Amino acid sequence: MCELTALAGKFKMMKNIPWIRTLGTLQVLIALIILTSCGTSQDERRPNIIYILADDLGYGELGCYGQEKIETPHIDALAANGMLFTQYYSGSPVCAPSRCMLLTGQHSGHASIRSNDGMPERGDTRDFLNVFNHPELEGQRPMPAGTVTIAEVLQKAGYETGMVGKWGLGPPDSESIPNKMGFDFFFGYNCQGQAHTFFPLHLWKNTEKVLLRNDTVPPRTKLPEGADPYAEASYSDYWLTDYAPDLMQKEVVRFIKDNKEHPFFMYYATPISHAPLQAPKRWVDYYVEKFGEEDPYLGDQGYFPARYPHAAYAAMVSYLDEQVGEIVATLREQGLYENTIILFSSDNGPTYNGGTDSPWFDSGGPFKSERGWAKGYLKEGGIRVPMIAQWPGRIEAGTRSDHISAHYDVFETLCDLVETEPEVETDGISFLPTLLGQEKQTHHEFLYWEFPSYGGQQALRMGSWKALREDIFEGNMAIRLYDLEKDIQESRDVADQYPDVVKQVEAIFRQEHRPAEIEKFR
């Protein structure tokens, strides 16, 4: 007979079985005891799901994608034991909309959140202390109340749902917070602006503010006057007591252990490797020894100064890799490894500010990664991101896929995985057949993006064609066309050679754009 604690976890899942809905609570518990009296092994129940979303991690910043300077053995092991996608895209080139599209299955012509928006009309939302003292300033533009997320669908299907990391999709006092958008548990940053320091004054645990032991410094604080920029001691103000990524990792591990008796979904939206350059000293020291002496970053491109910017950035990525290794080790220790699918990706391409120096790391891999080509732009470097999937015994180890897919396919894929209906119409297509090596995979006719920032942009991926329209707000409606099979860096515009393709692109641009309900995103 199963233990009572195990029954309690399974009770939530069984309430969604149609014939059980007709029974009373006592009858359900009796039915549960009967049905589970022989035990339910990890291999017999639906798989646990862990989705790890890195922040601003470029296509080329992992060893398995060709990175040569930063070491990522644990993430590389996910790829070696699973499937690596070569043509996977984010939903947007910046944080908030990309996360919205991941959770809702909508592309950026239909989604409610289409750009970052801290709603500055409320007041000064950028200063950490000001926001702490005026809670009404915290958070970004919310998704509409009633928005259906993949977490809500999985929750109704019997999954315990948890989110740890950076939310960025609605203020704490709105209807658009994790606990009202399908997550049973939340720990992390509500506001992505507050995530511009890894030593915040507070984080959130569900709907409660957790005060931290940090006397955080204002954003963009430069070195003290007269400080020696080559002395490590000059940077002591930027490393405080409670390091948010450490705290969040502990909550992920705790969630896994607490929910080992029933299926769970963990959405781990880590703030790494987004600026500022704040990384554990042991990792920074490792890369200082590896890279050698370098000039400091003095904060002239935003965020905080850093004594060893290249070492610090590499340290952040390797620290994230170390966390992935701990998650895998925890799954093994808890007997969950074989029945857990892990998905790993990034919200957009690499950034160009805060001392990160993407070109030095070749962060875009085969794509350009300097400003104008990566984060904030619909070029390949801004939206093509790493994606790895591991599920022991189900996803063939060491496989690669060139299936063209995007964040907004994850909703349908997870619904397919747990055999439940999506409840809402999405723009996605399940890529589960690709993961399982099946031949029945359906393909997109095209992938579509629009982005009402950085001048206004639209883009389309259709077969090997990539179409791009930029500077729309300046009156530019010209479409550039690239053949990615021959021109991966989008350097040769062939629009004048293929007018019929351009006409087709124009028609799709009109077809897929639905005017945004929020004026800011029109």
Side-chain angles (χ1 to χ4, degrees):
M1 189 68 67
C2 296
E3 295 181 358
L4 186 59
T5 53
L7 293 177
K10 293 172 183 175
F11 176 73
K12 177 181 176 182
M13 178 173 66
M14 291 190 63
K15 287 190 299 182
N16 293 284
I17 299 175
W19 67 268
I20 283 183
R21 291 196 195 107
T22 64
L23 303 178
T25 299
L26 180 60
Q27 292 171 304
V28 171
L29 287 172
I30 293 172
L32 178 60
I33 291 171
I34 293 172
L35 290 175
T36 61
S37 60
C38 296
T40 302
S41 71
Q42 281 290 321
D43 292 333
E44 293 172 338
R45 79 181 198 196
R46 288 178 293 181
N48 308 307
I49 305 164
I50 298 177
Y51 192 100
I52 304 173
L53 185 71
D55 199 342
D56 290 2
L57 185 76
Y59 184 89
E61 291 188 324
L62 302 173
C64 52
Y65 279 87
Q67 176 60 220
E68 297 180 349
K69 294 176 179 175
I70 306 172
E71 299 173 24
T72 56
H74 298 291
I75 299 173
D76 296 345
L78 290 183
N81 296 322
M83 179 176 290
L84 182 150
F85 282 64
T86 62
Q87 300 197 77
Y88 182 86
Y89 290 87
S90 66
S92 175
V94 296
C95 295
S98 189
R99 293 154 199 271
C100 173
M101 293 153 207
L102 172 68
L103 292 174
T104 66
Q106 303 291 322
H107 68 45
S108 48
H110 298 154
S112 59
I113 306 300
R114 303 188 188 186
S115 184
N116 287 335
D117 179 16
M119 299 185 287
E121 64 272 14
R122 296 176 294 171
D124 184 1
T125 62
R126 293 180 176 271
D127 185 89
F128 306 135
L129 186 58
N130 188 53
V131 172
F132 182 81
N133 290 329
H134 301 278
E136 70 276 8
L137 299 178
E138 186 172 358
Q140 282 65 50
R141 180 76 61 181
M143 296 186 291
T147 297
V148 176
T149 69
I150 183 59
E152 181 181 344
V153 174
L154 292 174
Q155 190 181 54
K156 291 179 179 178
Y159 275 70
E160 192 71 18
T161 57
M163 186 208 161
V164 172
K166 188 173 88 173
W167 176 242
L169 291 171
D173 61 353
S174 73
E175 293 298 308
S176 183
I177 60 173
N179 296 104
K180 294 182 180 180
M181 286 289 169
F183 290 100
D184 297 306
F185 174 78
F186 168 62
F187 183 83
Y189 295 97
N190 169 280
C191 175
Q192 60 192 32
Q194 296 291 296
H196 289 180
T197 176
F198 292 154
F199 294 94
L201 292 167
H202 71 282
L203 293 172
W204 289 87
K205 190 166 189 177
N206 297 317
T207 58
E208 299 295 323
K209 185 180 288 188
V210 179
L211 302 183
L212 304 184
R213 298 170 296 168
N214 296 326
D215 184 13
T216 194
V217 295
R220 295 179 175 269
T221 297
K222 303 294 199 325
L223 292 179
E225 186 175 353
D228 180 0
Y230 287 87
E232 287 190 64
S234 299
Y235 300 83
S236 60
D237 286 346
Y238 311 113
W239 188 268
L240 303 172
T241 303
D242 287 331
Y243 187 52
D246 273 346
L247 302 178
M248 291 187 286
Q249 175 74 358
K250 291 176 182 177
E251 293 294 340
V252 171
V253 171
R254 183 179 294 113
F255 180 88
I256 292 171
K257 292 179 178 179
D258 287 349
N259 293 286
K260 65 181 180 180
E261 298 297 338
H262 45 82
F264 63 79
F265 168 54
M266 164 50 62
Y267 168 43
Y268 188 10
T270 171
I272 296 174
S273 57
H274 196 294
L277 298 174
Q278 295 173 315
K281 189 175 187 303
R282 58 188 171 83
W283 273 114
V284 176
D285 290 345
Y286 176 84
Y287 280 106
V288 168
E289 183 175 352
K290 180 175 181 177
F291 297 159
E293 185 61 34
E294 60 174 307
D295 290 331
Y297 167 65
L298 300 179
D300 52 299
Q301 294 179 348
Y303 300 94
F304 299 132
R307 172 59 190 91
Y308 298 103
H310 291 156
Y313 187 77
M316 289 169 64
V317 178
S318 285
Y319 172 76
L320 170 59
D321 178 78
E322 180 181 73
Q323 291 184 317
V324 171
E326 183 182 14
I327 289 171
V328 172
T330 301
L331 293 172
R332 290 183 182 277
E333 292 166 2
Q334 301 298 315
L336 304 173
Y337 178 74
E338 301 293 335
N339 196 40
T340 301
I341 181 171
I342 301 175
L343 302 169
F344 180 96
S345 190
S346 177
D347 62 346
N348 46 250
T351 193
Y352 49 82
N353 58 11
T356 54
D357 201 359
S358 295
W360 191 83
F361 285 105
D362 200 16
S363 296
F367 316 113
K368 297 178 183 178
S369 57
E370 57 266 33
R371 182 164 188 161
W373 292 87
K375 179 178 179 177
Y377 297 88
L378 292 176
K379 298 183 177 73
E380 292 293 288
I383 54 176
R384 200 185 298 200
V385 292
M387 211 291 277
I388 299 165
Q390 177 194 279
W391 188 8
R394 302 300 302 274
I395 297 175
E396 184 178 353
T399 51
R400 297 170 69 92
S401 174
D402 61 0
H403 174 66
I404 300 174
S405 52
H407 276 352
Y408 55 84
D409 290 324
V410 171
F411 194 117
E412 292 284 348
T413 301
L414 297 187
C415 287
D416 196 6
L417 176 71
V418 305
E419 299 180 340
T420 192
E421 293 299 318
E423 298 187 5
V424 291
E425 184 178 349
T426 77
D427 296 306
I429 293 174
S430 169
F431 52 78
L432 184 64
T434 292
L435 295 178
L436 301 181
Q438 300 170 350
E439 296 181 357
K440 62 178 182 179
Q441 177 65 60
T442 303
H443 300 274
H444 282 283
E445 179 185 351
F446 56 81
L447 297 180
Y448 173 80
W449 298 266
E450 63 180 62
F451 184 46
S453 297
Y454 291 67
Q457 306 167 46
Q458 282 180 297
L460 192 74
R461 176 71 196 271
M462 184 171 60
S464 65
W465 294 117
K466 171 70 178 294
L468 185 64
R469 177 187 275 161
E470 295 183 301
D471 298 323
I472 295 171
F473 296 151
E474 295 180 11
N476 176 50
M477 298 299 285
I479 293 173
R480 299 200 298 277
L481 186 67
Y482 307 99
D483 184 347
L484 296 181
E485 287 187 1
K486 301 175 182 177
D487 180 22
I488 196 71
Q489 291 202 336
E490 301 163 284
S491 59
R492 297 185 298 276
D493 178 10
V494 296
D496 59 344
Q497 301 175 38
Y498 298 93
D500 290 342
V501 175
V502 172
K503 288 181 180 179
Q504 186 178 2
V505 169
E506 287 178 328
I508 295 173
F509 277 178
R510 289 192 298 270
Q511 166 191 309
E512 296 304 309
H513 168 70
R514 182 185 301 158
E517 294 182 11
I518 299 170
E519 184 176 358
K520 173 86 172 181
F521 303 145
R522 291 176 188 165

